[in-house]
Amino acid sequence: MSRLHAHVGTIRQLEILCALQEHGSVVAAARALHLTQPTVSMQLRKLSEAVGLPLYFQVGRRLQLTDAGREMVSSAREILSCFERLDMRLTKMRGLTAGTLRIAVVTTAKYFIPHLIGEFCKLYPDISVELKVGNREQIAQRMAEGLDDFCVFSHPPKKEEYLLTEFLPNRLVAIAPEQHELAGRERIPLEEFARAPFLMREAGSGTRYAIERHMERFDCELNVRMTIESNEAIKHMVMAGMGVSILSEHTWNVGGEAGIAILDVEHLPIKTNWYLARLGSKPVTPVAEALLEYVQREERLKGLKKVEL
C-alpha cells in the first residue's frame, strides 16, 4: 500500500489548498474559510514542505498553482467529497437530511433561485447552502471542474457527460421605455425593432448567447449601442431612454417595472427553459438527490412561477 498519505498533510490543509485555487489569494481563502491569514499561510507552507514540491507561485496579486498543486487539488476534492458523502449518509441513517448543497447559477437565475432554495430549506432546515453567481461562461467553467452539485443554466453547454433536468420556463422579452415610439404597437416587425439602439449583455452571458442565436436564425442584426454586464443596469438604462433590450421575464419585480414597456415584436419572446445541470461522473450527495426530487415535482414550482413571472 502507498504510504503517501502519511506525509501529504492534513484534511484541513487540503481544504485550504482547494480554497486557494478557487479564490486566488491567501487573503480570500482565509476569508472564505473563516481563518486568519497567518494560519492559512502557515498551513500551506507545511503542506508544500510535506509534499516536497512547490504547490503555488505568485503572479501579480494572485497565486497560481504549479502542476503539483493542480494534482493535489484534483485529489483533494475527491477526498473531501468522500468525507462529505460519508457524513451525509451517516446523518441520513440517523433520520435526518443534512449537509451542504453547492449550487452555481448564471446571473439571471439569481432572481428566482433564492425562492426555490428557500422553500427547499424549509423542508430540510439542517442543510447549508453555498451559492455562486456568474455569467454563463464562468458557470460553465465551474461545471467542467465539477465544483458544484448543480449548475443552473438556460443554455447549458452541450456535452454528453452533463445530465440536465428541465424545471422552469424562461422567456426573453423585448423591452423599451414606456414613452418609446414602439410602445403600445402590435406585431412590430423584428427588423424595425432591430434598428433601435440596443443594450446588450456582455460576452459570456447566457442572455446574450440566446439573443445572438435567435437573431442568426432570422438573419437579423441588432443595432448594439452599449454592452452592459448587469440586468439591473440594463433596466435602468432602458428607463432612462438609452435604448431597447431583450431580458428574461425573471428579472422583473412582482407587477412589472415602472418606466418599462414590454413590446409586441414578431418572432419574440425567445422561449427557453431553465435546467439543473450536473456532471454525470460526480457522485450525487443525499442533499443533491433531495433537491433533484424536489424540483421534479412540478406542483412544487407553481408558487415560484406565480411570484416571479
Side-chain angles (χ1 to χ4, degrees):
M1 174 184 287
S2 169
R3 298 295 298 168
L4 180 63
H5 66 279
H7 57 86
V8 294
T10 66
I11 296 299
R12 189 56 160 167
Q13 287 170 351
L14 298 179
E15 185 179 29
I16 289 171
L17 183 63
C18 289
L20 179 71
Q21 189 274 336
E22 181 173 355
H23 298 285
S25 72
V26 170
V27 173
R31 187 182 303 118
L33 296 174
H34 306 290
L35 297 173
T36 65
Q37 183 178 339
T39 296
V40 169
S41 296
M42 179 183 65
Q43 293 300 325
L44 287 170
R45 185 171 60 254
K46 286 184 176 180
L47 182 58
S48 291
E49 291 171 354
V51 173
L53 291 168
L55 300 177
Y56 55 90
F57 58 95
Q58 189 88 30
V59 178
R61 295 186 177 181
R62 290 184 64 85
L63 295 178
Q64 298 289 337
L65 295 183
T66 63
D67 289 344
R70 285 191 289 271
E71 287 294 332
M72 287 287 294
V73 165
S74 178
S75 294
R77 285 178 180 157
E78 293 181 29
I79 293 168
L80 294 172
S81 179
C82 285
F83 274 100
E84 184 174 293
R85 291 196 300 274
L86 173 61
D87 180 45
M88 284 188 283
R89 285 197 298 269
L90 294 175
T91 303
K92 196 172 184 180
M93 289 172 68
R94 293 193 292 267
L96 301 171
T97 300
T100 301
L101 175 67
R102 293 180 175 85
I103 186 165
V105 306
V106 295
T107 308
T108 302
K110 72 181 182 181
Y111 295 97
F112 66 88
I113 282 294
H115 299 279
L116 173 64
I117 298 300
E119 292 300 314
F120 176 69
C121 288
K122 288 179 183 178
L123 297 177
Y124 305 105
D126 294 322
I127 287 175
S128 61
V129 179
E130 292 183 6
L131 177 66
K132 302 289 184 181
V133 180
N135 65 28
R136 180 179 181 271
E137 190 174 277
Q138 292 165 335
I139 302 305
Q141 182 60 39
R142 294 186 64 88
M143 181 83 180
E145 295 178 12
L147 297 178
D148 307 287
D149 295 310
F150 294 107
C151 292
V152 176
F153 297 95
S154 57
H155 292 83
K158 296 180 180 179
K159 294 189 178 182
E160 290 184 3
E161 62 267 34
Y162 293 171
L163 303 180
L164 307 177
T165 300
E166 179 184 313
F167 71 100
L168 197 64
N170 180 35
R171 300 197 322 157
L172 305 182
V173 297
I175 62 173
E178 279 185 335
Q179 304 306 316
H180 196 277
E181 61 183 12
L182 297 179
R185 285 180 49 187
E186 296 182 357
R187 304 305 298 161
I188 302 163
L190 184 62
E191 292 77 9
E192 183 178 354
F193 171 76
R195 289 196 292 270
F198 191 85
L199 308 178
M200 179 68 92
R201 280 293 304 271
E202 81 284 4
S205 158
T207 298
R208 178 170 180 152
Y209 177 87
I211 292 171
E212 290 179 340
R213 299 293 84 74
H214 191 76
M215 292 302 162
E216 286 174 3
R217 177 184 171 194
F218 292 99
D219 194 24
C220 187
E221 186 174 349
L222 293 167
N223 176 23
V224 178
R225 179 178 194 175
M226 194 178 301
T227 299
I228 303 173
E229 294 187 356
S230 160
N231 290 326
E232 290 300 318
I234 287 178
K235 287 192 291 185
H236 284 285
M237 285 290 191
V238 169
M239 288 183 224
M242 295 297 292
V244 301
S245 192
I246 297 175
L247 290 179
S248 169
E249 284 182 321
H250 285 102
T251 64
W252 308 135
N253 293 323
V254 177
E257 295 279 351
I260 292 180
I262 296 179
L263 303 181
D264 179 13
V265 179
E266 65 177 359
H267 307 307
L268 292 175
I270 303 171
K271 297 178 181 179
T272 63
N273 292 288
W274 289 108
Y275 296 87
L276 277 181
R278 66 181 181 88
L279 198 59
S281 59
K282 183 179 175 68
V284 181
T285 67
V287 172
E289 186 177 8
L291 178 66
L292 196 59
E293 292 175 356
Y294 178 82
V295 299
Q296 286 175 328
R297 300 175 194 145
E298 186 175 350
E299 65 273 14
R300 295 284 192 183
L301 300 177
K302 288 181 180 178
L304 180 67
K305 293 176 184 177
K306 290 177 182 177
V307 169
E308 295 302 320
L309 296 183

